[in-house]
């Protein structure tokens, strides 16, 4: 019976990890990368302007 309990622990952990993973990924589709990419583009433009003004 003790061996069965030790086999059920990883099984329960795997099921829990699967449930958590599906719950954590449920809102990922709704998010867009637009604001982050826009901010990166502005940062890159500012760095290019700064480096060209120094030379």
């Amino acid at each position: 019976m003790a061996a069965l309990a030790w086999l059920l622990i990883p099984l329960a952990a795997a099921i829990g990890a699967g449930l958590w993973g599906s719950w954590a990924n449920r809102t990922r589709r709704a998010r867009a990368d637009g604001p982050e990419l826009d901010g990166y583009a502005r940062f890159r433009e500012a760095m290019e302007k700064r480096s060209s003004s120094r030379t």
Side-chain angles (χ1 to χ4, degrees):
M1 195 66 179
L4 183 60
W6 280 107
L7 290 175
L8 288 177
I9 292 171
L11 178 64
I15 291 171
L19 290 173
W20 180 82
S22 63
W23 177 81
N25 199 28
R26 67 178 162 64
T27 59
R28 194 168 294 246
R29 292 181 206 99
R31 296 182 191 153
D33 289 336
E36 290 84 5
L37 291 177
D38 292 340
Y40 176 68
R42 286 194 308 268
F43 170 76
R44 205 171 64 195
E45 289 171 8
M47 294 304 288
E48 287 173 359
K49 287 179 187 175
R50 184 174 181 196
S51 66
S52 64
S53 66
R54 286 187 159 193
T55 58

